[in-house]
Amino acid sequence: MAESRSAWGIDIGQVGLKAIKLRVGEDGQKVRAVAFDYIPHPKILSQPDAIPEELIKQSVETFLSRNKVGNDLIGVSVPGQTSLAKFIKLPPVEPSKVSEIVRYEARQQIPFDLNEVIWDFQPIGGGVEESGFMLEAEVGLFAMKRELVYDAMEPLTEQKVEVELVQVSPLALYNYLSFDVLGFRLDGDDAEPPDAEDFYIVLDMGADNTTLVVSNGKSIWIRNVPIGGNHFTRALTREMKLTFAKAEHLKRNATKAPDPKAVFQAMRPVFNDYVTEIQRSIGYFGSVNRSAKITKVIGVGNGFKMAGLQKFLQQNLKYPVERLDDLKGVTGDGVLSDPLFIDNVMTFAVPYGLALQTLKQTRIHTTLLPPEIVVERTIKRKKPWAASIAAGLLLAMGISTFASARVLNSVSEEKFKDGHAAVSDLESTVSGNNSAYEAEKASHDANKKAIEDLTAPLQKRELWMELLKAVSDCLPRDEGDGLDIIDPQLQRQLRIQSFVQKKVEDVSEWHTALVGANLSEEFHADDAETAPAGLGYIITLTGYHFFNHPDQPYESRDRGFVENTLIANLRQWRLDGDGAQSTSLGGGLKTPVGQLGISHPIVVWALNNEVEYDPNARIGSGGMGGGMSGMSGMSGMSGMSGMSGMGMRGSGGPGGGNYESEGNYESGGSAGQYGGLGAGGLIK
C-alpha cells in the first residue's frame, strides 16, 4: 500500500522561517518526520531598517529552492496577537441551532463586519445533550481580518503554492501539547480527550510577544503576553548604548560577554515585567477555573534559549519549568537527529502542530482559509470527473443516435399511414377550436370595453360616504355584555370630535415631514419605509377615550388602545365582521378599507394624564380634550394617497392643561387626556 500524502507545517516568524514535513505511515497510526528546514531572515523583521515583505519573500524562495513541495499539503500559521480567539459558554440550545447561536455571538464578539473577517468555530468542551438540548456547551470562536489572512498566504501563493490550512499559532501550540506531551490520539471523528484535572502551560516566546496556552487536553485557554525577546534586546540598547544588532548578539551570548553580570543587570527589569505578566495571566486563569491544577510549564521558541530565563521563571512561578528538547510523538531519525534541528527544536512546536492538523491527526479542525478558495478548489477537483461524465454521455448519445438511424431505415411509410391521418384530423380540430376561441375572446373584449366606457364617469367621484362608513366601522365599540358596562374606563369606545380633510398635490411631503420630525418609529415598519406619492387627501381626526382602567394590561390602555383598535383596523385591506382582525363589526359585514385607498395610519402624538370623570358633565367640556391626527389621502385618478403631519393644540377646561405642537405642556389642576392617531390613503 502506498503511503498517504505528506504535509508541511510552515511558520514564518520575526526571526526566520521554520518548516517540518510529516507523513502518516501505512498503518494510519505512526507519524514520521521526513524533512525540515530552518531559514533565518537576514535581519529580524522588527529591526528599524528591515523591510519585512522583501525578507519574507526571500526566505520563502530559499525554502522552495531547497524543498520540492509537489503535491504535499501546506499548513501556515498566523500570529495570535493579530487574531481573535474567544471561548464562549452557550446557553441551553438545540444541537441544530448551535451554528445560529454562534453566528449571533460572532456578531457581538468580532469588532468588524463579518464580511470583513474570516472566522470559524468548533465545540471545545462540555455539550452534554439532555432532553433535546445541549447543556454547558463551550465553543471556540476564531477570527482574523480578511486582508491579514491573504497577507500571510501571499508569499506562498505568489510562488503558485496552494495552502491547505491557515491556523492561529495558539491552536498549533495546543496541537503540539495534545499530541506530543499528553499523547492524545484520535479514535474516530468524534473522539474527545478526557477532562483531566492537571493542566499544562505552554509559553512560546517570540520576538515581540509571548503566546500562553493553558490546557488539560480537553479545554483550552489562550492569552497573549506583550513581552518578547526584542524587549530584552531593547533594554540592552538603552542601558549599554549598543546598536540593535550588537545588543541581539550580546543577548544570545550573555554568558560569554566580558561582564555577564552587567548584561543580566540591564535585562533585570524586563525579566521582572515578564514574570509579572505571566503570574497575572495564571492568576486570572485560576480565578475562572478554580478546580484546575497547574502541573508544568513548557517553554518553546528560541527566546527560551536566553540564559537564566528558565531558572528565573521556575523560582518565581513555583512550577516546574521545562524546555522543548525533542519531539516524542513522531519517528524519523533523519530529522530528529540532525544537529540543525536539535539546535532549533524549540522553534518547531508551531509548524509541528500545523502539520499534525493538516494530516487530520488532532481534534482541532477549524481553519481561516478563505471560503472562496475552498469553493474554487472543490470545483477544480471535480472538473475532471465532470468532463469524464460529459464524455460518457456524449458517447452514449452517439450510440443511441446510430442505433435509432438503423431502426429508422427499416420503417415503412405504409405502417404509419393511419397514424398520420389521425394526427392530421386532430390538428384540423385543434385549429378550428382555436379560431372559435379567438372569435369569442374578441367579442368578450368588446363587451368589456363597452362596460368600462359606461362606468368611467363613476370612477372619478370622491367616495366620502364610503370613507366615513369605513372609518366608523374601524372604531372600537362594546358588543354583547359590554353594552351594559357603566364604568367609562372599561368602555371600548373612541369619541371622535372632528373629522378634517385637506387636499394636497403631493402627499409624500406629509410622510417626509413626519419622518424628519423623528416620528418614523410611530409608523408601522412597512409604512415608514415606503412613502405614498401623488395627489391625495390628508384626513385628520381628533378625539379622546377613557379606556384606561388599571386592571387592563398596560399595552391595551391609553395610546395602546388606539393603536390596537382603530389604527390596526385602518391598516387592513378589508374588515371582515367575522374575522379576527375586527373588534367592531358583526353579522358577516365586510368593509373595504385599503380597497378605498386608506393607508399609512399613524398616531402622531398622544399624551395621557389622569382625569376625573364627571358623568354629569357635557361631553367636550372642561377637563377633557384630545386629538387624533393623520389619515391620508383620497384622490381622483391620481393613484395612491400620501401623508402630512400637522401641529395640534388642545385645551382642557378650568384648571386643565395645554399641549402645543412645539412640545410645551403646562399643567395646573387635573389635565385633559390627549390621544393622537393617523391613517392614510383613500384612492380613486
Side-chain angles (χ1 to χ4, degrees), residues 488-505:
Q489 295 183 91
L490 295 174
Q491 294 175 354
R492 298 176 53 82
Q493 297 180 15
L494 276 174
R495 278 77 168 179
I496 303 300
Q497 293 178 301
S498 66
F499 186 107
V500 180
Q501 57 84 14
K502 179 181 178 182
K503 188 173 184 180
V504 294
E505 295 296 328

mmCIF file with all atom_site columns, all heavy atoms in Angstrom, residues 488-505:
data_model
loop_
_atom_site.group_PDB
_atom_site.id
_atom_site.type_symbol
_atom_site.label_atom_id
_atom_site.label_alt_id
_atom_site.label_comp_id
_atom_site.label_asym_id
_atom_site.label_entity_id
_atom_site.label_seq_id
_atom_site.pdbx_PDB_ins_code
_atom_site.Cartn_x
_atom_site.Cartn_y
_atom_site.Cartn_z
_atom_site.occupancy
_atom_site.B_iso_or_equiv
_atom_site.pdbx_formal_charge
_atom_site.auth_seq_id
_atom_site.auth_comp_id
_atom_site.auth_asym_id
_atom_site.auth_atom_id
_atom_site.pdbx_PDB_model_num
ATOM 1   N N   . PRO A 1 488 ? -66.874 54.188 32.526 1.00 0.00 ? 488 PRO A N   1
ATOM 2   C CA  . PRO A 1 488 ? -66.336 54.624 31.214 1.00 0.00 ? 488 PRO A CA  1
ATOM 3   C C   . PRO A 1 488 ? -64.911 54.153 31.006 1.00 0.00 ? 488 PRO A C   1
ATOM 4   O O   . PRO A 1 488 ? -64.459 54.081 29.868 1.00 0.00 ? 488 PRO A O   1
ATOM 5   C CB  . PRO A 1 488 ? -66.418 56.155 31.290 1.00 0.00 ? 488 PRO A CB  1
ATOM 6   C CG  . PRO A 1 488 ? -66.421 56.472 32.753 1.00 0.00 ? 488 PRO A CG  1
ATOM 7   C CD  . PRO A 1 488 ? -67.160 55.345 33.406 1.00 0.00 ? 488 PRO A CD  1
ATOM 8   N N   . GLN A 1 489 ? -64.182 53.821 32.084 1.00 0.00 ? 489 GLN A N   1
ATOM 9   C CA  . GLN A 1 489 ? -62.803 53.369 31.905 1.00 0.00 ? 489 GLN A CA  1
ATOM 10  C C   . GLN A 1 489 ? -62.741 51.946 31.377 1.00 0.00 ? 489 GLN A C   1
ATOM 11  O O   . GLN A 1 489 ? -61.661 51.468 31.023 1.00 0.00 ? 489 GLN A O   1
ATOM 12  C CB  . GLN A 1 489 ? -62.037 53.449 33.231 1.00 0.00 ? 489 GLN A CB  1
ATOM 13  C CG  . GLN A 1 489 ? -61.859 54.871 33.738 1.00 0.00 ? 489 GLN A CG  1
ATOM 14  C CD  . GLN A 1 489 ? -61.021 54.891 35.008 1.00 0.00 ? 489 GLN A CD  1
ATOM 15  O OE1 . GLN A 1 489 ? -59.821 55.010 34.928 1.00 0.00 ? 489 GLN A OE1 1
ATOM 16  N NE2 . GLN A 1 489 ? -61.680 54.771 36.154 1.00 0.00 ? 489 GLN A NE2 1
ATOM 17  N N   . LEU A 1 490 ? -63.869 51.266 31.308 1.00 0.00 ? 490 LEU A N   1
ATOM 18  C CA  . LEU A 1 490 ? -63.918 49.916 30.756 1.00 0.00 ? 490 LEU A CA  1
ATOM 19  C C   . LEU A 1 490 ? -64.681 49.863 29.444 1.00 0.00 ? 490 LEU A C   1
ATOM 20  O O   . LEU A 1 490 ? -64.851 48.790 28.866 1.00 0.00 ? 490 LEU A O   1
ATOM 21  C CB  . LEU A 1 490 ? -64.567 48.964 31.771 1.00 0.00 ? 490 LEU A CB  1
ATOM 22  C CG  . LEU A 1 490 ? -63.791 48.747 33.072 1.00 0.00 ? 490 LEU A CG  1
ATOM 23  C CD1 . LEU A 1 490 ? -64.609 47.902 34.031 1.00 0.00 ? 490 LEU A CD1 1
ATOM 24  C CD2 . LEU A 1 490 ? -62.452 48.080 32.778 1.00 0.00 ? 490 LEU A CD2 1
ATOM 25  N N   . GLN A 1 491 ? -65.164 51.010 28.988 1.00 0.00 ? 491 GLN A N   1
ATOM 26  C CA  . GLN A 1 491 ? -65.923 51.059 27.738 1.00 0.00 ? 491 GLN A CA  1
ATOM 27  C C   . GLN A 1 491 ? -64.970 51.186 26.558 1.00 0.00 ? 491 GLN A C   1
ATOM 28  O O   . GLN A 1 491 ? -64.161 52.108 26.491 1.00 0.00 ? 491 GLN A O   1
ATOM 29  C CB  . GLN A 1 491 ? -66.899 52.237 27.763 1.00 0.00 ? 491 GLN A CB  1
ATOM 30  C CG  . GLN A 1 491 ? -68.001 52.102 28.798 1.00 0.00 ? 491 GLN A CG  1
ATOM 31  C CD  . GLN A 1 491 ? -68.892 53.339 28.876 1.00 0.00 ? 491 GLN A CD  1
ATOM 32  O OE1 . GLN A 1 491 ? -68.619 54.338 28.226 1.00 0.00 ? 491 GLN A OE1 1
ATOM 33  N NE2 . GLN A 1 491 ? -69.947 53.258 29.675 1.00 0.00 ? 491 GLN A NE2 1
ATOM 34  N N   . ARG A 1 492 ? -65.059 50.236 25.631 1.00 0.00 ? 492 ARG A N   1
ATOM 35  C CA  . ARG A 1 492 ? -64.184 50.225 24.456 1.00 0.00 ? 492 ARG A CA  1
ATOM 36  C C   . ARG A 1 492 ? -64.753 51.189 23.406 1.00 0.00 ? 492 ARG A C   1
ATOM 37  O O   . ARG A 1 492 ? -65.350 50.762 22.413 1.00 0.00 ? 492 ARG A O   1
ATOM 38  C CB  . ARG A 1 492 ? -64.062 48.808 23.890 1.00 0.00 ? 492 ARG A CB  1
ATOM 39  C CG  . ARG A 1 492 ? -63.433 47.806 24.842 1.00 0.00 ? 492 ARG A CG  1
ATOM 40  C CD  . ARG A 1 492 ? -63.441 46.409 24.255 1.00 0.00 ? 492 ARG A CD  1
ATOM 41  N NE  . ARG A 1 492 ? -62.846 46.370 22.927 1.00 0.00 ? 492 ARG A NE  1
ATOM 42  C CZ  . ARG A 1 492 ? -61.542 46.315 22.702 1.00 0.00 ? 492 ARG A CZ  1
ATOM 43  N NH1 . ARG A 1 492 ? -60.704 46.280 23.722 1.00 0.00 ? 492 ARG A NH1 1
ATOM 44  N NH2 . ARG A 1 492 ? -61.071 46.281 21.471 1.00 0.00 ? 492 ARG A NH2 1
ATOM 45  N N   . GLN A 1 493 ? -64.592 52.486 23.657 1.00 0.00 ? 493 GLN A N   1
ATOM 46  C CA  . GLN A 1 493 ? -65.161 53.493 22.780 1.00 0.00 ? 493 GLN A CA  1
ATOM 47  C C   . GLN A 1 493 ? -64.154 54.620 22.555 1.00 0.00 ? 493 GLN A C   1
ATOM 48  O O   . GLN A 1 493 ? -63.431 55.006 23.467 1.00 0.00 ? 493 GLN A O   1
ATOM 49  C CB  . GLN A 1 493 ? -66.445 54.059 23.375 1.00 0.00 ? 493 GLN A CB  1
ATOM 50  C CG  . GLN A 1 493 ? -67.571 53.026 23.526 1.00 0.00 ? 493 GLN A CG  1
ATOM 51  C CD  . GLN A 1 493 ? -68.816 53.650 24.117 1.00 0.00 ? 493 GLN A CD  1
ATOM 52  O OE1 . GLN A 1 493 ? -68.945 54.874 24.164 1.00 0.00 ? 493 GLN A OE1 1
ATOM 53  N NE2 . GLN A 1 493 ? -69.746 52.811 24.551 1.00 0.00 ? 493 GLN A NE2 1
ATOM 54  N N   . LEU A 1 494 ? -64.138 55.103 21.329 1.00 0.00 ? 494 LEU A N   1
ATOM 55  C CA  . LEU A 1 494 ? -63.368 56.301 20.979 1.00 0.00 ? 494 LEU A CA  1
ATOM 56  C C   . LEU A 1 494 ? -64.369 57.411 20.624 1.00 0.00 ? 494 LEU A C   1
ATOM 57  O O   . LEU A 1 494 ? -65.257 57.201 19.784 1.00 0.00 ? 494 LEU A O   1
ATOM 58  C CB  . LEU A 1 494 ? -62.445 56.059 19.775 1.00 0.00 ? 494 LEU A CB  1
ATOM 59  C CG  . LEU A 1 494 ? -61.084 55.432 20.065 1.00 0.00 ? 494 LEU A CG  1
ATOM 60  C CD1 . LEU A 1 494 ? -60.364 55.124 18.764 1.00 0.00 ? 494 LEU A CD1 1
ATOM 61  C CD2 . LEU A 1 494 ? -60.243 56.380 20.901 1.00 0.00 ? 494 LEU A CD2 1
ATOM 62  N N   . ARG A 1 495 ? -64.228 58.586 21.250 1.00 0.00 ? 495 ARG A N   1
ATOM 63  C CA  . ARG A 1 495 ? -65.111 59.725 20.955 1.00 0.00 ? 495 ARG A CA  1
ATOM 64  C C   . ARG A 1 495 ? -64.417 60.598 19.906 1.00 0.00 ? 495 ARG A C   1
ATOM 65  O O   . ARG A 1 495 ? -63.350 61.152 20.148 1.00 0.00 ? 495 ARG A O   1
ATOM 66  C CB  . ARG A 1 495 ? -65.378 60.564 22.210 1.00 0.00 ? 495 ARG A CB  1
ATOM 67  C CG  . ARG A 1 495 ? -66.481 60.019 23.116 1.00 0.00 ? 495 ARG A CG  1
ATOM 68  C CD  . ARG A 1 495 ? -66.043 58.851 23.942 1.00 0.00 ? 495 ARG A CD  1
ATOM 69  N NE  . ARG A 1 495 ? -67.018 58.531 24.993 1.00 0.00 ? 495 ARG A NE  1
ATOM 70  C CZ  . ARG A 1 495 ? -66.901 57.558 25.850 1.00 0.00 ? 495 ARG A CZ  1
ATOM 71  N NH1 . ARG A 1 495 ? -65.843 56.784 25.806 1.00 0.00 ? 495 ARG A NH1 1
ATOM 72  N NH2 . ARG A 1 495 ? -67.845 57.347 26.775 1.00 0.00 ? 495 ARG A NH2 1
ATOM 73  N N   . ILE A 1 496 ? -64.968 60.673 18.717 1.00 0.00 ? 496 ILE A N   1
ATOM 74  C CA  . ILE A 1 496 ? -64.403 61.498 17.642 1.00 0.00 ? 496 ILE A CA  1
ATOM 75  C C   . ILE A 1 496 ? -65.020 62.884 17.734 1.00 0.00 ? 496 ILE A C   1
ATOM 76  O O   . ILE A 1 496 ? -66.241 63.053 17.665 1.00 0.00 ? 496 ILE A O   1
ATOM 77  C CB  . ILE A 1 496 ? -64.675 60.892 16.257 1.00 0.00 ? 496 ILE A CB  1
ATOM 78  C CG1 . ILE A 1 496 ? -64.113 59.476 16.192 1.00 0.00 ? 496 ILE A CG1 1
ATOM 79  C CG2 . ILE A 1 496 ? -64.054 61.753 15.174 1.00 0.00 ? 496 ILE A CG2 1
ATOM 80  C CD1 . ILE A 1 496 ? -62.623 59.416 16.437 1.00 0.00 ? 496 ILE A CD1 1
ATOM 81  N N   . GLN A 1 497 ? -64.157 63.930 17.880 1.00 0.00 ? 497 GLN A N   1
ATOM 82  C CA  . GLN A 1 497 ? -64.636 65.305 17.998 1.00 0.00 ? 497 GLN A CA  1
ATOM 83  C C   . GLN A 1 497 ? -64.640 66.037 16.656 1.00 0.00 ? 497 GLN A C   1
ATOM 84  O O   . GLN A 1 497 ? -65.439 66.946 16.457 1.00 0.00 ? 497 GLN A O   1
ATOM 85  C CB  . GLN A 1 497 ? -63.755 66.058 19.002 1.00 0.00 ? 497 GLN A CB  1
ATOM 86  C CG  . GLN A 1 497 ? -63.886 65.545 20.438 1.00 0.00 ? 497 GLN A CG  1
ATOM 87  C CD  . GLN A 1 497 ? -62.958 66.283 21.376 1.00 0.00 ? 497 GLN A CD  1
ATOM 88  O OE1 . GLN A 1 497 ? -61.759 66.268 21.187 1.00 0.00 ? 497 GLN A OE1 1
ATOM 89  N NE2 . GLN A 1 497 ? -63.536 66.947 22.367 1.00 0.00 ? 497 GLN A NE2 1
ATOM 90  N N   . SER A 1 498 ? -63.713 65.679 15.790 1.00 0.00 ? 498 SER A N   1
ATOM 91  C CA  . SER A 1 498 ? -63.688 66.367 14.489 1.00 0.00 ? 498 SER A CA  1
ATOM 92  C C   . SER A 1 498 ? -63.096 65.459 13.433 1.00 0.00 ? 498 SER A C   1
ATOM 93  O O   . SER A 1 498 ? -62.331 64.542 13.729 1.00 0.00 ? 498 SER A O   1
ATOM 94  C CB  . SER A 1 498 ? -62.864 67.661 14.575 1.00 0.00 ? 498 SER A CB  1
ATOM 95  O OG  . SER A 1 498 ? -61.505 67.367 14.811 1.00 0.00 ? 498 SER A OG  1
ATOM 96  N N   . PHE A 1 499 ? -63.489 65.720 12.190 1.00 0.00 ? 499 PHE A N   1
ATOM 97  C CA  . PHE A 1 499 ? -63.037 64.963 11.016 1.00 0.00 ? 499 PHE A CA  1
ATOM 98  C C   . PHE A 1 499 ? -62.711 66.005 9.936  1.00 0.00 ? 499 PHE A C   1
ATOM 99  O O   . PHE A 1 499 ? -63.613 66.638 9.392  1.00 0.00 ? 499 PHE A O   1
ATOM 100 C CB  . PHE A 1 499 ? -64.162 64.030 10.558 1.00 0.00 ? 499 PHE A CB  1
ATOM 101 C CG  . PHE A 1 499 ? -63.785 63.091 9.456  1.00 0.00 ? 499 PHE A CG  1
ATOM 102 C CD1 . PHE A 1 499 ? -63.609 61.743 9.707  1.00 0.00 ? 499 PHE A CD1 1
ATOM 103 C CD2 . PHE A 1 499 ? -63.616 63.536 8.152  1.00 0.00 ? 499 PHE A CD2 1
ATOM 104 C CE1 . PHE A 1 499 ? -63.275 60.870 8.689  1.00 0.00 ? 499 PHE A CE1 1
ATOM 105 C CE2 . PHE A 1 499 ? -63.285 62.678 7.139  1.00 0.00 ? 499 PHE A CE2 1
ATOM 106 C CZ  . PHE A 1 499 ? -63.112 61.336 7.405  1.00 0.00 ? 499 PHE A CZ  1
ATOM 107 N N   . VAL A 1 500 ? -61.411 66.222 9.721  1.00 0.00 ? 500 VAL A N   1
ATOM 108 C CA  . VAL A 1 500 ? -60.981 67.316 8.833  1.00 0.00 ? 500 VAL A CA  1
ATOM 109 C C   . VAL A 1 500 ? -60.203 66.739 7.663  1.00 0.00 ? 500 VAL A C   1
ATOM 110 O O   . VAL A 1 500 ? -59.349 65.868 7.845  1.00 0.00 ? 500 VAL A O   1
ATOM 111 C CB  . VAL A 1 500 ? -60.089 68.330 9.597  1.00 0.00 ? 500 VAL A CB  1
ATOM 112 C CG1 . VAL A 1 500 ? -59.657 69.460 8.668  1.00 0.00 ? 500 VAL A CG1 1
ATOM 113 C CG2 . VAL A 1 500 ? -60.845 68.889 10.788 1.00 0.00 ? 500 VAL A CG2 1
ATOM 114 N N   . GLN A 1 501 ? -60.491 67.213 6.454  1.00 0.00 ? 501 GLN A N   1
ATOM 115 C CA  . GLN A 1 501 ? -59.770 66.754 5.266  1.00 0.00 ? 501 GLN A CA  1
ATOM 116 C C   . GLN A 1 501 ? -59.041 67.919 4.611  1.00 0.00 ? 501 GLN A C   1
ATOM 117 O O   . GLN A 1 501 ? -59.484 69.062 4.672  1.00 0.00 ? 501 GLN A O   1
ATOM 118 C CB  . GLN A 1 501 ? -60.749 66.103 4.266  1.00 0.00 ? 501 GLN A CB  1
ATOM 119 C CG  . GLN A 1 501 ? -61.908 66.979 3.791  1.00 0.00 ? 501 GLN A CG  1
ATOM 120 C CD  . GLN A 1 501 ? -61.543 67.889 2.628  1.00 0.00 ? 501 GLN A CD  1
ATOM 121 O OE1 . GLN A 1 501 ? -60.512 67.688 2.013  1.00 0.00 ? 501 GLN A OE1 1
ATOM 122 N NE2 . GLN A 1 501 ? -62.363 68.887 2.339  1.00 0.00 ? 501 GLN A NE2 1
ATOM 123 N N   . LYS A 1 502 ? -57.887 67.602 4.037  1.00 0.00 ? 502 LYS A N   1
ATOM 124 C CA  . LYS A 1 502 ? -57.079 68.597 3.335  1.00 0.00 ? 502 LYS A CA  1
ATOM 125 C C   . LYS A 1 502 ? -56.518 67.967 2.064  1.00 0.00 ? 502 LYS A C   1
ATOM 126 O O   . LYS A 1 502 ? -55.820 66.963 2.117  1.00 0.00 ? 502 LYS A O   1
ATOM 127 C CB  . LYS A 1 502 ? -55.928 69.087 4.217  1.00 0.00 ? 502 LYS A CB  1
ATOM 128 C CG  . LYS A 1 502 ? -55.030 70.107 3.537  1.00 0.00 ? 502 LYS A CG  1
ATOM 129 C CD  . LYS A 1 502 ? -53.898 70.517 4.459  1.00 0.00 ? 502 LYS A CD  1
ATOM 130 C CE  . LYS A 1 502 ? -52.970 71.510 3.768  1.00 0.00 ? 502 LYS A CE  1
ATOM 131 N NZ  . LYS A 1 502 ? -51.835 71.893 4.635  1.00 0.00 ? 502 LYS A NZ  1
ATOM 132 N N   . LYS A 1 503 ? -56.811 68.569 0.934  1.00 0.00 ? 503 LYS A N   1
ATOM 133 C CA  . LYS A 1 503 ? -56.343 68.037 -0.348 1.00 0.00 ? 503 LYS A CA  1
ATOM 134 C C   . LYS A 1 503 ? -54.966 68.615 -0.656 1.00 0.00 ? 503 LYS A C   1
ATOM 135 O O   . LYS A 1 503 ? -54.735 69.810 -0.522 1.00 0.00 ? 503 LYS A O   1
ATOM 136 C CB  . LYS A 1 503 ? -57.331 68.401 -1.453 1.00 0.00 ? 503 LYS A CB  1
ATOM 137 C CG  . LYS A 1 503 ? -57.045 67.733 -2.797 1.00 0.00 ? 503 LYS A CG  1
ATOM 138 C CD  . LYS A 1 503 ? -58.168 68.018 -3.778 1.00 0.00 ? 503 LYS A CD  1
ATOM 139 C CE  . LYS A 1 503 ? -57.956 67.286 -5.093 1.00 0.00 ? 503 LYS A CE  1
ATOM 140 N NZ  . LYS A 1 503 ? -59.048 67.546 -6.051 1.00 0.00 ? 503 LYS A NZ  1
ATOM 141 N N   . VAL A 1 504 ? -54.021 67.754 -1.046 1.00 0.00 ? 504 VAL A N   1
ATOM 142 C CA  . VAL A 1 504 ? -52.657 68.195 -1.354 1.00 0.00 ? 504 VAL A CA  1
ATOM 143 C C   . VAL A 1 504 ? -52.236 67.601 -2.693 1.00 0.00 ? 504 VAL A C   1
ATOM 144 O O   . VAL A 1 504 ? -52.739 66.562 -3.121 1.00 0.00 ? 504 VAL A O   1
ATOM 145 C CB  . VAL A 1 504 ? -51.672 67.766 -0.245 1.00 0.00 ? 504 VAL A CB  1
ATOM 146 C CG1 . VAL A 1 504 ? -51.968 68.472 1.054  1.00 0.00 ? 504 VAL A CG1 1
ATOM 147 C CG2 . VAL A 1 504 ? -51.706 66.263 -0.039 1.00 0.00 ? 504 VAL A CG2 1
ATOM 148 N N   . GLU A 1 505 ? -51.284 68.302 -3.350 1.00 0.00 ? 505 GLU A N   1
ATOM 149 C CA  . GLU A 1 505 ? -50.812 67.861 -4.660 1.00 0.00 ? 505 GLU A CA  1
ATOM 150 C C   . GLU A 1 505 ? -49.864 66.668 -4.539 1.00 0.00 ? 505 GLU A C   1
ATOM 151 O O   . GLU A 1 505 ? -49.838 65.809 -5.405 1.00 0.00 ? 505 GLU A O   1
ATOM 152 C CB  . GLU A 1 505 ? -50.103 69.015 -5.386 1.00 0.00 ? 505 GLU A CB  1
ATOM 153 C CG  . GLU A 1 505 ? -51.016 70.177 -5.725 1.00 0.00 ? 505 GLU A CG  1
ATOM 154 C CD  . GLU A 1 505 ? -52.112 69.765 -6.710 1.00 0.00 ? 505 GLU A CD  1
ATOM 155 O OE1 . GLU A 1 505 ? -51.855 68.884 -7.548 1.00 0.00 ? 505 GLU A OE1 1
ATOM 156 O OE2 . GLU A 1 505 ? -53.224 70.317 -6.616 1.00 0.00 ? 505 GLU A OE2 1
#
